[in-house]
Amino acid sequence: MKKYLSIILVIIIAVAMLAGCGGSGGDDPAQDVSGDAPKTFGDIEKLEPEEYSCGQYPDGNMIIYAYKSGDRYYRASSEVEQEKFQALWDLEFDDPEYDAKYQEIMDSIEIQNLEDLTDQILSPDELAALAGKTGQELIDEGWTVNGTYYLDDMGFWLNFGPFVYNVHFDADPATVNTETFDPEDGILDWVVTGAEFVGLGDSASDPQ
């Protein structure tokens, strides 16, 4: 089974498997994050991160792996040699030895760039400043709709940079018909009342 591999898996939030692989960066994408920084993608897997977003992209043979370690968020990326990339691409999920084969390949792929994304999280003051803006204004500023929402507190998940935030709107949940509601259009005229950080967003492992 051929796979276009792009997964968002945020264990403490939700699990969304789109296929395979099992924002903007800092000023110095190859920065030395710490002496204990992972050297291979297999090292990241062994960390068993509580949040991660991993993508494999045939155009350029790129692997991008965003993850949380401790209280920090990182993004690792590499251009992989064709043979190893093809081996990952050809793995079958129903293979009883999938996990072992996947780990072996990931152990062999060195990380070329490692970024610390943590400082890109919007501060409490920056989130507070969103109050009074409309959904349309957020979209115009580069926010995108994640698609997850909770009508009990009118909280809608929106992506900004590599992260997702729960943005609350001053709107009546009784006006929302969940059978036909499209949050990309529905929030445009609503006014923001507050927001809080959630975790890694849809674009955390997208090519830049």
Side-chain angles (χ1 to χ4, degrees):
M1 178 180 66
K2 298 298 183 184
K3 304 172 283 290
Y4 182 82
L5 298 163
S6 178
I7 285 187
I8 299 298
L9 176 55
V10 183
I11 296 176
I12 65 171
I13 305 164
V15 178
M17 180 170 287
L18 303 181
C21 203
S24 59
D27 293 335
D28 181 7
Q31 61 189 288
D32 180 11
V33 176
S34 78
D36 297 326
K39 300 301 188 293
T40 71
F41 287 92
D43 291 340
I44 300 176
E45 289 286 337
K46 292 168 187 173
L47 291 174
E48 298 183 347
E50 58 188 279
E51 297 180 44
Y52 70 83
S53 168
C54 182
Q56 297 178 19
Y57 302 94
D59 186 9
N61 289 357
M62 289 293 299
I63 294 180
I64 303 174
Y65 201 134
Y67 65 99
K68 182 179 182 183
S69 179
D71 59 355
R72 309 293 294 181
Y73 288 87
Y74 303 99
R75 177 165 53 209
S77 61
S78 288
E79 183 176 345
V80 183
E81 59 187 81
Q82 177 61 34
E83 182 180 356
K84 292 179 181 179
F85 191 90
Q86 191 64 47
L88 280 174
W89 191 257
D90 290 340
L91 286 177
E92 301 288 349
F93 290 121
D94 57 359
D95 184 341
E97 298 182 357
Y98 173 88
D99 290 341
K101 292 178 179 178
Y102 172 79
Q103 185 67 50
E104 181 179 5
I105 298 170
M106 295 294 268
D107 282 340
S108 71
I109 301 174
E110 294 185 356
I111 296 168
Q112 295 172 350
N113 300 302
L114 185 60
E115 309 163 63
D116 189 331
L117 304 176
T118 314
D119 290 342
Q120 295 185 47
I121 299 172
L122 296 181
S123 69
D125 287 343
E126 289 173 313
L127 292 176
L130 299 178
K133 294 186 177 183
T134 65
Q136 181 65 67
E137 288 177 299
L138 295 189
I139 298 301
D140 291 343
E141 292 174 2
W143 292 73
T144 60
V145 176
N146 173 284
T148 299
Y149 60 90
Y150 303 93
L151 295 181
D152 56 345
D153 61 358
M154 293 304 287
F156 290 73
W157 285 13
L158 301 183
N159 304 301
F160 191 75
F163 297 107
V164 65
Y165 302 83
N166 190 25
V167 180
H168 303 274
F169 291 92
D170 183 13
D172 183 357
T175 65
V176 177
N177 181 345
T178 56
E179 296 295 326
T180 59
F181 180 70
D182 179 358
E184 291 190 351
D185 294 327
I187 69 168
L188 297 182
D189 295 327
W190 293 350
V191 176
V192 176
T193 60
E196 63 267 354
F197 175 73
V198 175
L200 288 169
D202 289 347
S203 65
S205 61
D206 285 350
Q208 303 303 304

